[in-house]
Amino acid sequence: MPHDALPWLGQDASAMAQAVRTGQLSASALIEASLRHITTHDTQLNAFTSVLADRARQRARQMDADPLLRQGPLAGVPFAVKNLFDVAGLPTLAGSHIERDSPPASTDALLVRRLEAAGAVLVGALNMDEYAYGFTTENSHEGPCRNPHDTARIAGGSSGGSGAAVAGGQVPLSLGSDTNGSIRVPASLCGVFGLKPTFGRLPRTGSYPFVSSLDHLGPFARSVRDLALSYDLMQGPEDERQARDPGCAQRAVQACSPLLTQGLAGLRVGVLGGWFEEQASAPAQRAVQQVAQALGATTRLELPLVEAGRAAAFVITNAEAASGHLNDLRRRADDFEPLSRDRFLAGALIPAAWVARAQRVRLRYAQAVAAVFQQVDLLLAPATPCVATPIGAETLQLGERRLPLRPSMGLLTQPISCIGLPVCSVPVWGCDPELPHLPIGVQLIAAPWREDLTLRAAAALEALGLARAPIAPDFLPR
């Protein structure tokens, strides 16, 4: 394998694809570099649960032999997916032990197929919290996923492997899911860009459901250009003859990549206070202040009904998630992670009347927040209450309060995903003077279907050097 391909892993996906298209780099050399980097470093990170070396090499050889295959916008680019995406030939684990007994998937998830149609090459499946029910990816079946910027700390969750694989330089792109914050939390803690699109924007066909009325799928990347490109390539409704995701909106593609250079002109940006300030540490608040200053945001707002909205999300999550696991809870309770099992059991006991009321509250909350977007185009809030915490920690400290860690990592994301708003998480650095090597994310939140606004602002912050996603120093490809 040519060793000079390794430095290309430090580039963004768009640059890699350009090199493959022009013949400067072969797809095979790039994939070998990615596989080598995974082999060398994943014993430290534990981001991957399956490495698809044979499949990836075969795909790369086909691309090198066929000039037409090399013309895709992601030609030869390695990517990986959270292991709740179907991958042909593998059981879809969803972070669990129980699903190892399931038959292998017969086809890839739809979003995997769309990225591969654009030339990307799937190299593996990634670690996650069991059934996506968690915020730390301390998976007892696979072991904890570790943060590339400090391997004694969590990568976040539930898409922890997706954030760590990108921050660790193993792949430039990955896919995850976000129900209550599971893209934005690992993006924040691992220091990469993450996009949670509007609910219903990307089809979920071929992914293991957690809470169907709340689940979103989306990308992670080290540049806004790559984030927008991968998002654009995955857009579009399913073929009506084969539609399997009832939540997928029948909306045409609205490409964001061409709009990234439009900058901040005309954007009205507000800063969320109240709940979003009270539940954030000083470093998280500092990150928002820096972004607000860069975006010229002086308006401060509070979301109405935010606490009620988060409570509704908890009820809906617990009840709906539990309903999908009742048979296994009865037959194989000991095969669940203890924390997941306890949450599912609690959800199974929630009265139906509570769920109906929670859905009514969710609707009222969504209507109230929609009115806020009459005043502003974008809202700013921290993505996580704090920087990455040590693996094994049970609590986090917010001022004088000590809170349970796992649910509290979603304090600031859950009220947003509850009503399906599009959010880009951007990484900011040096906000915690005691842990300057650790990033923390800021959420750029827009009204439904306005992903373009979140990505435009993210691109402007990246151009200013405030938001950036470097590969962790100990994992730089050399």
Side-chain angles (χ1 to χ4, degrees), residues 98-110:
I98 289 172
E99 303 305 327
R100 295 178 189 184
D101 297 336
S102 299
S106 58
T107 59
D108 295 332
L110 180 54

Side-chain angles (χ1 to χ4, degrees), residues 147-150 163 166-168 186-193 221-222 283-284 286-288 290-291 387-388 425-433 435-442 461-462 465-473:
N147 193 310
H149 296 285
D150 186 337
V166 172
S188 174
L189 302 188
C190 290
V192 298
F193 295 97
R222 290 197 302 271
R286 197 171 295 124
V288 172
Q290 291 182 26
V291 169
V387 299
S425 178
V426 299
V428 182
W429 299 79
C431 295
D432 190 332
L435 297 164
H437 64 296
L438 294 181
I440 193 162
V442 174
L461 293 167
E462 185 181 32
L466 179 57
R468 54 191 180 87
I471 295 174

Side-chain angles (χ1 to χ4, degrees), residues 130-134 179-180 208-215 313-329 336 340-341 343-350 355 359:
E130 183 178 64
Y131 292 119
Y133 213 164
T179 303
N180 290 306
Y208 197 103
F210 173 30
V211 182
S212 291
S213 67
L214 293 171
D215 290 345
F314 259 121
V315 171
I316 294 165
T317 296
N318 277 44
E320 191 174 325
S323 68
H325 295 282
L326 288 178
N327 287 338
D328 284 330
L329 287 167
F336 285 86
S340 300
R341 180 184 62 229
R343 294 188 194 106
F344 287 136
L345 289 171
L349 299 175
I350 292 176
V355 180
Q359 293 287 14

Side-chain angles (χ1 to χ4, degrees), residues 40-275:
T40 301
H41 292 293
D42 205 55
T43 52
Q44 297 165 272
L45 294 181
N46 197 32
F48 282 79
T49 54
S50 296
V51 178
L52 305 171
D54 291 343
R55 168 179 165 151
R57 287 175 176 133
Q58 181 180 4
R59 175 68 172 165
R61 286 193 297 269
Q62 291 171 344
M63 194 169 297
D64 289 333
D66 186 343
L68 290 177
L69 292 177
R70 295 199 299 275
Q71 296 312 303
L74 291 176
V77 172
F79 77 106
V81 298
K82 187 174 183 174
N83 72 24
L84 56 63
F85 286 80
D86 286 354
V87 174
L90 296 180
T92 305
L93 296 179
S96 73
H97 175 76
I98 289 172
E99 303 305 327
R100 295 178 189 184
D101 297 336
S102 299
S106 58
T107 59
D108 295 332
L110 180 54
L111 296 190
V112 173
R113 283 182 271 141
R114 287 182 174 178
L115 289 184
E116 289 215 318
V121 179
L122 184 67
V123 298
L126 298 163
N127 204 352
M128 60 178 283
D129 285 291
E130 183 178 64
Y131 292 119
Y133 213 164
F135 281 122
T136 65
T137 313
E138 294 172 281
N139 188 298
S140 63
H141 309 304
E142 303 287 353
C145 182
R146 298 179 179 275
N147 193 310
H149 296 285
D150 186 337
T151 55
R153 293 177 180 269
I154 62 171
S158 63
S159 309
S162 302
V166 172
Q170 296 169 314
V171 289
L173 292 172
S174 67
L175 298 184
S177 68
D178 189 311
T179 303
N180 290 306
S182 291
I183 288 174
R184 291 158 289 158
V185 169
S188 174
L189 302 188
C190 290
V192 298
F193 295 97
L195 178 66
K196 183 200 79 64
T198 307
F199 179 81
R201 169 61 91 177
L202 297 183
R204 301 169 297 183
T205 301
S207 63
Y208 197 103
F210 173 30
V211 182
S212 291
S213 67
L214 293 171
D215 290 345
H216 309 64
L217 304 179
F220 294 77
R222 290 197 302 271
S223 74
V224 179
R225 178 170 67 161
D226 286 353
L227 197 71
L229 175 60
S230 59
Y231 166 65
D232 286 349
L233 292 168
M234 293 187 291
Q235 281 192 59
E238 299 177 274
D239 183 320
E240 291 184 2
R241 295 166 298 179
Q242 300 175 331
R244 290 170 48 201
D245 178 5
C248 184
Q250 297 300 304
R251 295 180 69 94
V253 174
Q254 294 173 266
C256 295
S257 297
L259 307 177
L260 294 182
T261 58
Q262 289 188 358
L264 303 173
L267 284 185
R268 302 169 299 163
V269 184
V271 180
L272 286 176
W275 173 270

